[in-house]
Amino acid sequence: MSKSDPSRRDFLRASSVIAAPLLAQAPQSHRPRSNVILVISDQFRWDCLGVNARTPLGLTPNLDEMARDGVNFANAITNQPVCAPSRCCIFTGQYASRHGVWRNGPSLPTDSVTIASVFRSAGYSANYIGKWHLAPEDQANPATLGHVPPQYRGGFDDLWEGCNVLERTSHPYEGSIWDGAGREIRFQDVYRVDFLTDRVLRFLQQPREPFFLVVSYLEPHHQNDCNCFVAPKGYADRYRNAFVPRDLSFFPGDWQAQLPDYYGCLTSVDENVGRLRDQLRRSGLADRTIVAFTSDHGCHFRTRNAEYKRSGHESSIHIPLAIMGPGFPRGRVVNELVSHVDLGATLLDSVGIGAPASTQGRSYMALVEGNARDWRNEVFVQISESMTGRALRTPQWAYVVAQPDGTSHPSSSSYTEYQLYDLFSDPDQLVNLAGRRQTRDVSTQLRSRLVARMTEAGESPAEIKPAALYP
């Protein structure tokens, strides 16, 4: 039976839903029931976070302070470097082969067990502000791009002020989101990030505690209808002829024109995280609220394929992640590899709630607390839309395989080795070692591990053929 067979997907989903309440991981009751805020920025490169010491521009003073006030996860990896699938990995704790959202377009199944529904079952309110991208999407029907019907909100059943595909219903200085009753909330002559943060500050003035809140910014994602990044007015001027990341500077792309605005977008996101933290202090919530910041994927400015992400390169899959608040010790850096499928379980665990049995991820609170004994230090990545690809990221290696015809499907029965980068000697991924005689043993080992991870994630058995560029 094909992995894309709908009956098999339905069976897996139904089985997960039935089992979840019965087989949830045991909660850690000694942890306080803090509020939890998850901030998601779209297309934010990991190396632009100042504490990661790769971009010397001081773009993120507020996020850097947040990381120093808590835990910086220096090697966080997305499991799917494209908008909707990565968000679904976060909210369900599952890989795309299980949750079914393998590309932009398909919706989060209405019977999904999400971190929002688990938080609510534990007495939290579940609230959402910003971009969603997980309801049915029909480009020919504009109504599907805006208001999200209740059954498609993934358990965020309290405050809802969102938009399904915000990049197609708004521009940086005008547009709309919709409230829970479907009423349009317009903004005009205010920058999109500032507007969404205004809604967040409004919520934080009188929240119902304990609460779980997701704040989902579109920036620094490019504006689709102009294929350009748009910073707040005047911000791009700060970054003309500024530092260029080395992984970009060796390749053609559009970074030459786009970096100033991209950096300006990052600055705006950072300023607004600062506004959020200031409001937590003013409202007396800071000492009992966990705040996490991450991104769905990175950005390579068309240097690695025809668009901005959807590849196995660090610029696509390596993401920022910082978490602060009760239970997250100040100044800690976690260097082990963690991923999006683990994030939901971690946030639940951080407040003493067990993850549902449907999750394929694992809490990394043991890494935070310094007592992890058997952490598997590698991340499995699924790639779609640009190709049908799979990747394994280890501390040293980025190993990528692809279906040779370049088409995009949920999965394949046959892949060929495509890329191999030694991140110890080549962190900017300038030299592809796939197929070289001197890395044959490494490729053999990684091939076996990747096949095992594919099967574990719920895919049908597949063959990976060795590269043959250098016989």
Side-chain angles (χ1 to χ4, degrees):
M1 183 182 292
S2 167
K3 181 66 193 126
S4 61
D5 190 312
S7 62
R8 184 172 189 270
R9 291 200 307 270
D10 292 343
F11 170 77
L12 289 169
R13 291 172 189 151
S15 300
S16 298
V17 171
I18 292 169
L22 301 176
L23 300 176
Q25 298 170 14
Q28 303 297 315
S29 58
H30 64 279
R31 294 186 176 126
R33 290 296 176 97
S34 305
N35 304 307
V36 179
I37 300 176
L38 171 60
V39 181
I40 304 173
S41 179
D42 197 319
Q43 209 159 293
F44 193 120
R45 286 174 60 104
W46 75 280
D47 57 354
C48 289
L49 198 66
V51 290
N52 290 329
R54 296 271 294 182
T55 303
L57 293 175
L59 298 169
T60 58
N62 293 289
L63 287 167
D64 295 343
E65 179 185 62
M66 177 180 156
R68 288 190 292 266
D69 285 345
V71 180
N72 180 36
F73 296 86
N75 290 297
I77 305 295
T78 182
N79 303 105
Q80 240 282 10
V82 66
C83 297
S86 65
R87 293 160 193 273
C88 210
C89 291
I90 293 172
F91 296 139
T92 66
Q94 298 176 340
Y95 296 100
S97 47
R98 180 69 57 83
H99 60 60
V101 183
W102 63 277
R103 60 173 175 83
N104 288 336
S107 63
L108 173 71
T110 56
D111 59 1
S112 296
V113 177
T114 68
I115 53 174
S117 59
V118 177
F119 268 115
R120 288 194 95 239
S121 69
Y124 279 66
S125 64
N127 312 278
Y128 201 95
I129 296 174
K131 170 178 172 172
W132 178 238
H133 217 154
L134 288 173
E137 176 185 342
D138 180 0
Q139 297 297 324
N141 181 4
T144 68
L145 306 180
H147 170 58
V148 177
Q151 68 269 29
Y152 292 113
R153 294 176 192 165
F156 289 94
D157 293 338
D158 295 289
L159 176 76
W160 177 272
E161 293 186 351
C163 174
N164 191 28
V165 192
L166 187 60
E167 56 265 51
R168 298 194 183 276
T169 69
S170 67
H171 291 90
Y173 279 94
E174 60 85 22
S176 299
I177 58 175
W178 284 261
D179 70 10
R183 294 182 292 257
E184 187 175 12
I185 306 172
R186 290 280 303 167
F187 68 96
Q188 186 82 34
D189 298 326
V190 59
Y191 194 61
R192 189 162 41 201
V193 185
D194 297 332
F195 163 72
L196 292 176
T197 306
D198 290 343
R199 307 305 297 186
V200 173
L201 304 190
R202 183 172 176 266
F203 167 81
L204 291 175
Q205 288 171 7
Q206 286 186 315
R208 179 170 73 79
E209 297 185 73
F211 64 82
F212 173 49
L213 169 66
V214 172
V215 182
S216 181
Y217 295 125
L218 177 61
E219 273 69 21
H221 191 286
H222 61 284
Q223 184 65 40
N224 289 50
D225 56 4
C226 73
N227 239 344
C228 61
F229 298 85
V230 183
K233 294 172 183 175
Y235 278 46
D237 293 336
R238 306 178 189 180
Y239 305 111
R240 303 293 178 196
N241 300 313
F243 172 83
V244 179
R246 196 166 180 267
D247 70 291
L248 302 180
S249 62
F250 286 88
F251 297 97
D254 63 7
W255 55 266
Q256 299 91 338
Q258 304 286 17
L259 269 178
D261 275 278
Y262 182 81
Y263 288 156
C265 292
L266 299 183
T267 297
S268 175
V269 170
D270 180 77
E271 290 172 348
N272 280 277
V273 170
R275 292 178 64 202
L276 185 157
R277 291 194 65 195
D278 286 344
Q279 182 61 51
L280 289 175
R281 297 183 189 103
R282 286 194 299 270
S283 301
L285 296 167
D287 291 340
R288 59 180 184 274
T289 301
I290 292 167
V291 183
F293 175 84
T294 192
S295 184
D296 51 358
H297 51 74
C299 184
H300 59 63
F301 296 92
R302 299 182 174 180
T303 56
R304 305 293 184 160
N305 58 30
E307 39 85 277
Y308 293 104
K309 57 256 186 185
R310 301 177 177 95
S311 80
H313 297 90
E314 290 291 278
S315 47
S316 282
I317 66 172
H318 200 157
I319 51 174
L321 176 60
I323 309 179
M324 58 155 291
F328 292 88
R330 289 174 57 92
R332 178 155 295 175
V333 177
V334 170
N335 288 306
E336 287 87 352
L337 290 157
V338 300
S339 74
H340 275 160
V341 296
D342 308 312
L343 180 54
T346 302
L347 295 178
L348 291 167
D349 191 14
S350 71
V351 295
I353 303 173
S358 56
T359 187
Q360 294 176 291
R362 175 183 177 187
S363 168
Y364 29 79
M365 286 304 294
L367 295 173
V368 170
E369 294 165 349
N371 56 19
R373 297 290 179 266
D374 57 351
W375 188 259
R376 182 165 55 182
N377 205 19
E378 62 184 32
V379 173
F380 172 56
V381 180
Q382 298 169 305
I383 303 168
S384 65
E385 298 194 7
S386 63
M387 61 182 182
T388 306
R390 299 293 182 263
L392 190 71
R393 171 66 157 82
T394 77
Q396 181 172 2
W397 302 101
Y399 175 72
V400 185
V401 303
Q403 185 178 355
D405 66 6
T407 58
S408 179
H409 303 284
S411 64
S412 176
S413 61
S414 180
Y415 299 88
T416 298
E417 291 175 342
Y418 178 41
Q419 292 161 334
L420 176 67
Y421 295 99
D422 183 346
L423 300 176
F424 286 180
S425 64
D426 180 24
D428 299 302
Q429 297 177 301
L430 304 180
V431 180
N432 181 9
L433 300 173
R436 293 180 183 262
R437 194 171 300 141
Q438 61 267 38
T439 57
R440 185 173 297 163
D441 290 346
V442 171
S443 294
T444 299
Q445 294 170 13
L446 294 172
R447 187 184 316 132
S448 175
R449 286 161 63 182
L450 180 55
V451 167
R453 293 303 300 271
M454 291 161 63
T455 303
E456 180 184 318
E459 300 188 13
S460 300
E463 173 192 26
I464 297 177
K465 298 176 182 177
L469 295 177
Y470 301 89

